[in-house]
Amino acid sequence: MQIALNDVLKDDGKILRVDADFGPDTFEMKLGKYPITRKTPVSLVLTNKGKRNLLIQGRMDLTILIPCGRCLEEVPVEFELDFEKKIDMNLTEEERREALDECAYIHGYDLDVDELVYSEILVNWPLRVLCKEDCKGICSICGKNLNHGTCDCDHTDLDPRMAQIRDIFNKFKEV
Ligand SMILES: [Zn+2]
Ligand SMILES: [Zn+2]
């Protein structure tokens, strides 16, 4: 959703309150695509602070499904976004980009709400997601989720020296 800023920029001290929609139902980045299962409207307060300085305050809650770092099961992660941006509208789009390099959400006199929220989600993205602190992960051989029970894989095979010893025993058995 785009919000025209011309109006609020006309008069110093003017305040514009908007409940905007965040369009996407998935969050996409280099690492992958993540479903958004819940989102509130984006509550925005735009304040003309004078001399073409704009203050953008926003709040939004959303839930994104992110795979557990160990077992890959999707975990609903809550985001409570609460942000504040100061924009100097005296600068050209290019000058702003050089100064902050994160102002991709303002094009001319339009505020791109989707891009603004996108950058906020990215900033708040968790470093590590686990379904639970003691998640057992998946078996490296059969891929079974070990939180749901054990598997029959022989994990001693992972040690090559053990495998050699077993080979010797097996040869004796064959005789
Ligand atoms: Zn897990
Ligand atoms: Zn297994």
Side-chain angles (χ1 to χ4, degrees):
M1 183 173 164
Q2 305 271 342
I3 295 175
L5 299 172
N6 307 44
D7 204 40
V8 71
L9 286 171
K10 251 184 242 161
D11 303 302
D12 289 1
K14 189 156 186 172
I15 296 175
L16 178 68
R17 289 172 200 278
V18 203
D19 274 351
D21 285 324
F22 177 65
D25 290 317
T26 47
F27 183 77
E28 285 189 51
M29 61 168 158
K30 272 184 202 156
L31 291 171
K33 287 184 185 181
Y34 307 88
I36 298 172
T37 53
R38 182 186 70 103
K39 57 187 171 185
T40 65
V42 192
S43 290
L44 290 169
V45 181
L46 312 176
T47 308
N48 183 338
K49 304 293 271 183
K51 297 191 177 121
R52 298 175 62 76
N53 279 290
L54 184 68
L55 177 67
I56 302 175
Q57 291 161 297
R59 299 180 66 96
M60 182 206 191
D61 292 347
L62 72 166
T63 306
I64 302 180
L65 297 182
I66 305 175
C68 167
R70 284 187 205 148
C71 72
L72 303 179
E73 213 153 89
E74 285 181 324
V75 184
V77 178
E78 312 268 323
F79 289 77
E80 289 174 13
L81 306 180
D82 190 350
F83 51 90
E84 206 173 277
K85 306 278 170 195
K86 294 189 180 99
I87 314 285
D88 185 349
M89 295 299 288
N90 293 299
L91 304 176
T92 65
E93 211 169 322
E94 239 156 61
E95 285 171 330
R96 271 201 308 269
R97 206 171 293 147
E98 276 165 27
L100 282 166
D101 82 33
E102 55 154 318
C103 268
Y105 48 85
I106 296 199
H107 307 290
Y109 287 99
D110 286 322
L111 169 64
D112 187 322
V113 177
D114 287 359
E115 291 221 39
L116 174 58
V117 170
Y118 183 95
S119 67
E120 284 304 307
I121 294 173
L122 212 51
V123 168
N124 287 282
W125 198 259
L127 288 176
R128 190 172 85 140
V129 173
L130 289 180
C131 60
K132 52 185 179 188
E133 267 313 306
D134 62 345
C135 170
K136 296 186 177 76
I138 55 175
C139 168
S140 55
I141 300 164
C142 71
K144 184 183 166 120
N145 185 333
L146 297 175
N147 297 308
H148 300 162
T150 50
C151 58
D152 297 325
C153 298
D154 189 351
H155 289 266
T156 51
D157 268 348
L158 293 176
D159 187 337
R161 285 164 307 172
M162 285 302 293
Q164 271 173 21
I165 291 168
R166 244 194 324 277
D167 282 349
I168 295 166
F169 279 123
N170 287 340
K171 271 179 200 133
F172 277 124
K173 265 187 251 164
E174 279 164 22
V175 176

